[in-house]
Amino acid sequence: MGDQPRAIAQLTQGLREGKPAVCLLGATGTGKTFTMANVIANLGKPTLIISHNKTLAAQLYEELREFLPKNSVNYFVSYYDYYQPEAYIPQRDIYIEKDSSRNDDLDQLRLAATSNILSRRDTVVVASVSCIFGLGNPVSYGERVLTITRGSRVDRRDFLMALSQMQYTRSEIEFKRAQFRVRGDALEVWPAYEKYAVRIELFGDEIDRVDLINPTSGEVLAEERQFFLFPAVHHMMPEDQMQSVLSAIRAEMDARVLELRSQGKLLEAQRLISRTKYDLELLEETGMCQGIENYSRFMDGRQPGERPYTLMDYFDFAPTADGAKRDEETERRRDGVEDPTSVSSSLPARPNYRDWLLIIDESHVTLPQIRAMYNGDRARKTVLVEHGFRLPSALDNRPLRFEEFEAIVPQIAYVSATPGPYELERTGGEVAEQVIRPTGLLDPVIEVKPAQGQVPDLIERCQERVAKGERVLVTALTKRLCEDLTSYLDQKGLRVRYLHSEVETLERVAILTDLRLGEFDVLVGVNLLREGLDLPEVSLVCILDADKEGFLRSPTSLIQQMGRAARNVNALVIMYADQMTPAMQAAISETERRRTKQIAYNEAHGIVPKTIKKDIRRGMEISLKGRKQARESLYEKEPEYEISDLIETIRTEMRESAAKLDFESAAVLRDQLKSLEAKLEKATKSGGSTKVRRSELSANAEAKSRKRPGMPGVKITKQMRKKGSGH
């Protein structure tokens, strides 16, 4: 077990003793996620884990679902595949309207997270730094929850009105998430955060039956006695406060318009009037408008400058350990201080006040991100306010300042292979060190080679690893170089893809899964091939231009990049550099220190290093069960052909297509033919089956011909980002 049990015990004890912060220094491959899961299980508190990007958050989410099967493990990241924020460039008089591609699956997972936080104490949420951005008032959100109980009485009209106020829309034709429909005496609601729908059968004004159903087929999945239905959106407009909120917005608009006119900004004043009045009309009629979050201060009842509600506030409203409600003021007096983070004195008591845990994964990267969020957002919105695009209250729709973030966290655990000075300062230099791997695996061997001629040498090294059935990671300095290098390696016969920040979230997960499955052998990336990626099949990491000093070639970055090969017994890192920089020397020295420590442990315990074997998880690749079953049913009925017979059939069809000048179809058939010939050769050598279904062949050909982000020759464009990944 290495030093993992000691680290778990040290972290658990520190948190139970009430320490505000603890730190885990966990080397790559030592099982940091398993340690986190054990600490969460030991404490039994609602837990928020923040990761610095969506890809690692998805990986962490899947691992924790496996380690904590009885807990409610959730995924909370930005729901945009593509996001271009609203902005204005005064120098060129260019207004950039908010432009986004919203991912429905990610939106569903966000809503599921908040609903589970309010209903289950064993909730674990894995989030990106988007969790520090403004979210709806948890009180308004919680007050709108509908309790549907078998045997209770309801007014049908009032029930339908309540659904509308929760932003569920009625549809009698197409049934989708966040919609409801009426079927005689039955009401069917598809919760915005679930994969199933709820059917409520009425007998008069009494709820006779509550069933969970398949929204496509109508099949009853389970019968329930009681069901809690949460709102379809996070930003809720309280019905009884609607007019007062609208009046407050109008009052701020009038005051701001007078101010702009007094400054001679007549154009800005008129612009503000027309934009705000349009939003007011939508709010009054529907309770929603584009950019409703910019009016969240009025909806939440906050004062100017007061921090917004975030996901972290929802944890204060989670169920308590004993199920009892606590008085917030009593808790504050017990702590001896007033809570500086309270956003409203009129709020009811927070039952779970300061009784949850925050874990910062890869803290050396995540904390700087949290620090940077506020200033960037503030600068952009200030320009919008000054030029009449938004009211001053839009400035209060923002991420948390770092001091606000620090103030509302009850207890925090920092996790990193390379903790920064801030983490060490917060913990008084006390760190739970976890650098010995139970598997006995060593930190990789490091070679430094000249940058001159690095690409030809890279190709040779990749070919060597591919011949052994192993995978390769290559890190470049720019996105452009990443894409161009991918195309060049593809021309040299390597099966290669690229990965960078402009590839959509779920597409990134699919690319990493395909790498592990052996769909391709070499992955080229920029900054995403650093922290946390769990890829045991990778035995070689090549770092191009390692001596180009900067953020991507700092000691921390280099150590993290090297660590991607630390889960394989044949681990090797090649740094291409013409000089030895201080960052390279520091990274090499730390790696050698860890190697020495692991070697001593292996010798003392008689451990022979072995490559980590891990199942390939596909949980984030969302698919419909019904479609899968239908596909499998058709597949079973399809006849099998002898490969040799099918080769002749396809060759004939290819020639016929070419004769008709249908060269596109001929090319597809040609690819199928090559695939069949390779399959026949392999079957002949191994003595395997010589039968194949044609649909299987067509699916493979389609997959190979489909050009998606990450494939050689594909450039990421704005149009591609806006279109999204198709998930």
Side-chain angles (χ1 to χ4, degrees):
M1 294 295 289
D3 48 7
Q4 194 174 65
R6 185 175 69 251
I8 293 171
Q10 185 177 339
L11 293 170
T12 302
Q13 183 181 350
L15 292 167
R16 281 177 173 168
E17 290 174 353
K19 290 183 178 179
V22 296
C23 183
L24 172 66
L25 190 160
T28 302
T30 58
K32 294 192 294 291
T33 305
F34 183 75
T35 298
M36 281 190 272
N38 275 273
V39 171
I40 292 169
N42 291 342
L43 295 176
K45 294 182 177 183
T47 302
L48 172 63
I49 304 173
I50 303 181
S51 183
H52 68 283
N53 71 54
K54 294 179 179 179
T55 307
L56 296 186
Q59 178 180 287
L60 191 57
Y61 163 71
E62 288 301 318
E63 291 178 344
L64 287 172
R65 287 178 67 189
E66 187 176 297
F67 291 142
L68 300 169
K70 295 182 179 180
N71 288 60
S72 172
V73 182
N74 301 265
Y75 185 63
F76 187 98
V77 300
S78 168
Y79 46 58
Y80 297 120
D81 277 333
Y82 168 76
Y83 178 64
Q84 178 179 275
E86 183 183 27
Y88 179 67
I89 306 173
Q91 298 82 353
R92 300 172 62 186
D93 191 27
I94 295 176
Y95 171 69
I96 304 170
E97 194 169 355
K98 178 179 176 181
D99 194 1
S100 64
S101 173
R102 189 161 170 162
N103 189 303
D104 193 55
D105 291 323
L106 295 180
D107 191 28
Q108 173 189 342
L109 291 168
R110 284 167 61 93
L111 288 161
T114 50
S115 63
N116 285 327
I117 291 170
L118 298 187
S119 58
R120 296 181 60 169
R121 183 166 175 82
D122 64 349
T123 297
V124 179
V125 179
V126 182
S128 64
V129 291
S130 63
C131 68
I132 72 166
F133 279 78
L135 203 62
N137 185 339
V139 176
S140 299
Y141 181 82
E143 287 176 346
R144 289 295 178 90
V145 176
L146 280 180
T147 304
I148 303 167
T149 308
R150 189 174 66 238
S152 64
R153 296 186 177 276
V154 297
D155 183 277
R156 180 186 171 111
R157 184 175 179 277
D158 290 345
F159 187 82
L160 296 178
M161 286 293 294
L163 289 176
S164 296
Q165 291 167 10
M166 295 164 68
Q167 297 304 314
Y168 284 88
T169 58
R170 183 167 180 171
S171 176
E172 302 297 336
I173 303 172
E174 188 180 16
F175 196 33
K176 299 189 295 185
R177 280 195 322 106
Q179 290 187 341
F180 67 92
R181 62 188 181 188
V182 181
R183 293 287 185 267
D185 291 331
L187 305 175
E188 292 180 355
V189 186
W190 191 341
Y193 46 90
E194 297 289 4
K195 296 180 181 179
Y196 55 80
V198 184
R199 179 184 291 145
I200 303 126
E201 295 185 7
L202 300 175
F203 185 76
D205 59 353
E206 182 179 322
I207 297 177
D208 188 52
R209 189 180 173 100
V210 181
D211 293 327
L212 306 184
I213 64 171
N214 183 317
T216 305
S217 65
E219 174 192 1
V220 176
L221 304 175
E223 184 178 350
E224 297 287 315
R225 187 190 69 81
Q226 191 174 65
F227 185 82
F228 296 98
L229 182 65
F230 288 81
V233 295
H234 286 119
H235 290 280
M236 300 294 299
M237 175 72 80
E239 187 68 21
D240 57 342
Q241 301 175 26
M242 172 73 77
Q243 292 307 317
S244 62
V245 168
L246 296 177
S247 297
I249 296 172
R250 289 191 185 97
E252 185 183 36
M253 178 187 68
D254 293 340
R256 180 60 178 164
V257 167
L258 287 174
E259 183 181 356
L260 290 171
R261 286 173 175 170
S262 67
Q263 298 171 359
K265 297 181 177 180
L266 302 182
L267 175 62
E268 289 83 353
Q270 187 58 41
R271 178 188 291 149
L272 186 63
I273 291 172
S274 60
R275 291 174 63 87
T276 308
K277 281 188 174 181
Y278 178 73
D279 288 345
L280 286 169
E281 289 175 6
L282 285 175
L283 285 170
E284 192 164 20
E285 292 297 323
T286 66
M288 289 290 293
C289 72
Q290 184 72 18
I292 188 174
E293 62 274 6
N294 289 299
Y295 305 108
S296 60
R297 171 159 70 79
F298 300 108
M299 298 163 62
D300 297 341
R302 294 183 279 123
Q303 296 300 313
E306 211 169 1
R307 74 165 181 85
Y309 294 101
T310 67
L311 180 70
M312 291 187 283
D313 288 290
Y314 283 71
F315 282 88
D316 281 347
F317 292 89
T320 61
D322 56 5
K325 294 207 172 192
R326 293 184 185 149
D327 183 84
E328 186 177 359
E329 295 300 325
T330 301
E331 292 291 328
R332 292 181 190 174
R333 287 194 293 271
R334 187 196 70 179
D335 295 341
V337 293
E338 286 292 319
D339 179 19
T341 69
S342 176
V343 293
S344 176
S345 59
S346 62
L347 272 182
R350 300 174 179 238
N352 197 54
Y353 180 66
R354 302 186 73 83
D355 191 26
W356 53 278
L357 174 66
L358 174 66
I359 298 176
I360 306 290
D361 190 37
E362 306 294 353
S363 59
H364 64 284
V365 181
T366 307
L367 287 171
Q369 281 193 356
I370 294 172
R371 279 194 184 91
M373 290 294 178
Y374 173 80
N375 288 332
D377 184 81
R378 182 81 177 188
R380 176 178 60 82
K381 285 181 179 165
T382 298
V383 175
L384 290 169
V385 171
E386 288 176 350
H387 291 84
F389 291 95
R390 287 293 172 192
L391 292 173
S393 56
L395 295 172
D396 293 319
N397 168 44
R398 57 176 176 83
L400 296 176
R401 291 192 291 266
F402 193 70
E403 57 270 24
E404 294 171 335
F405 169 80
E406 289 182 302
I408 63 176
V409 174
Q411 284 185 301
I412 188 167
Y414 306 107
V415 179
S416 174
T418 51
Y422 175 83
E423 299 95 290
L424 298 176
E425 181 186 344
R426 284 292 311 277
T427 57
E430 186 179 339
V431 173
E433 193 170 87
Q434 184 176 303
V435 298
I436 296 174
R437 301 177 178 89
T439 57
L441 286 170
L442 304 174
D443 280 82
V445 175
I446 301 171
E447 291 183 11
V448 180
K449 305 196 74 173
Q452 186 73 26
Q454 59 186 357
V455 175
D457 186 78
L458 168 68
I459 294 171
E460 185 180 341
R461 295 303 187 105
C462 288
Q463 290 169 340
E464 291 173 1
R465 296 288 164 157
V466 170
K468 298 177 182 178
E470 297 168 353
R471 315 285 188 267
V472 182
L473 296 184
V474 182
T475 61
L477 286 172
T478 66
K479 297 174 186 178
R480 175 68 179 273
L481 179 58
C482 180
E483 294 179 6
D484 290 345
L485 181 60
T486 300
S487 296
Y488 184 75
L489 295 179
D490 179 60
Q491 294 171 15
K492 296 299 180 179
L494 291 167
R495 299 191 302 165
V496 60
R497 300 279 299 273
Y498 66 80
L499 183 73
H500 55 60
S501 60
E502 293 188 0
V503 177
E504 287 83 9
T505 305
L506 299 181
E507 188 71 39
R508 294 178 207 168
V509 178
I511 289 171
L512 294 172
T513 301
D514 287 347
L515 177 68
R516 295 198 60 197
L517 286 169
E519 298 294 328
F520 63 98
D521 305 303
V522 183
L523 180 60
V524 184
V526 186
N527 196 32
L528 290 177
L529 303 186
R530 287 177 55 204
E531 291 84 2
L533 289 182
D534 192 353
L535 305 167
E537 295 80 9
V538 171
S539 66
L540 174 63
V541 173
C542 297
I543 304 173
L544 302 183
D545 302 309
D547 55 354
K548 299 293 190 292
E549 293 187 275
F551 170 71
L552 293 176
R553 297 296 181 261
S554 66
T556 297
S557 293
L558 291 173
I559 290 171
Q560 292 288 350
Q561 291 173 51
M562 294 179 203
R564 295 318 102 211
R567 292 178 172 87
N568 194 290
V569 72
N570 300 319
L572 173 66
V573 172
I574 301 176
M575 292 185 180
Y576 293 100
D578 290 326
Q579 59 179 335
M580 180 66 71
T581 65
M584 291 172 61
Q585 187 59 60
I588 292 171
S589 298
E590 175 62 17
T591 302
E592 288 300 322
R593 182 187 77 86
R594 296 178 182 181
R595 276 182 64 87
T596 303
K597 194 170 183 177
Q598 185 74 57
I599 290 171
Y601 180 84
N602 291 353
E603 291 175 350
H605 294 82
I607 295 175
V608 178
K610 294 181 180 179
T611 298
I612 295 174
K613 301 292 184 183
K614 278 197 174 184
D615 294 334
I616 298 173
R617 304 176 180 90
R618 288 185 168 273
M620 294 302 296
E621 297 175 30
I622 301 170
S623 61
L624 294 174
K625 184 179 178 182
R627 291 184 181 179
K628 182 181 178 183
Q629 290 175 338
R631 188 168 59 249
E632 289 176 349
S633 176
L634 291 171
Y635 185 77
E636 289 172 359
K637 294 178 182 179
E638 186 185 357
E640 289 185 322
Y641 300 91
E642 285 288 338
I643 295 178
S644 56
D645 295 338
L646 193 54
I647 284 175
E648 292 304 317
T649 302
I650 290 178
R651 185 176 281 118
T652 302
E653 292 177 2
M654 180 183 69
R655 289 168 177 167
E656 290 175 354
S657 297
K660 296 176 183 177
L661 304 182
D662 186 0
F663 298 114
E664 188 173 334
S665 298
V668 172
L669 292 166
R670 178 202 61 200
D671 293 340
Q672 292 182 8
L673 190 63
K674 288 181 179 179
S675 177
L676 279 173
E677 289 171 345
K679 196 180 285 286
L680 180 61
E681 184 180 354
K682 185 178 179 181
T684 304
K685 289 181 179 179
S686 63
S689 174
T690 58
K691 292 183 177 287
V692 66
R693 292 183 174 93
R694 187 151 186 181
S695 64
E696 178 185 350
L697 187 66
S698 300
N700 291 338
E702 182 184 349
K704 289 179 181 178
S705 64
R706 189 170 58 247
K707 288 290 186 180
R708 302 180 307 188
M711 290 186 170
V714 178
K715 303 289 184 181
I716 299 291
T717 63
K718 178 179 176 180
Q719 288 72 27
M720 185 179 291
R721 293 195 299 266
K722 289 175 67 176
K723 186 178 180 182
S725 61
H727 293 278

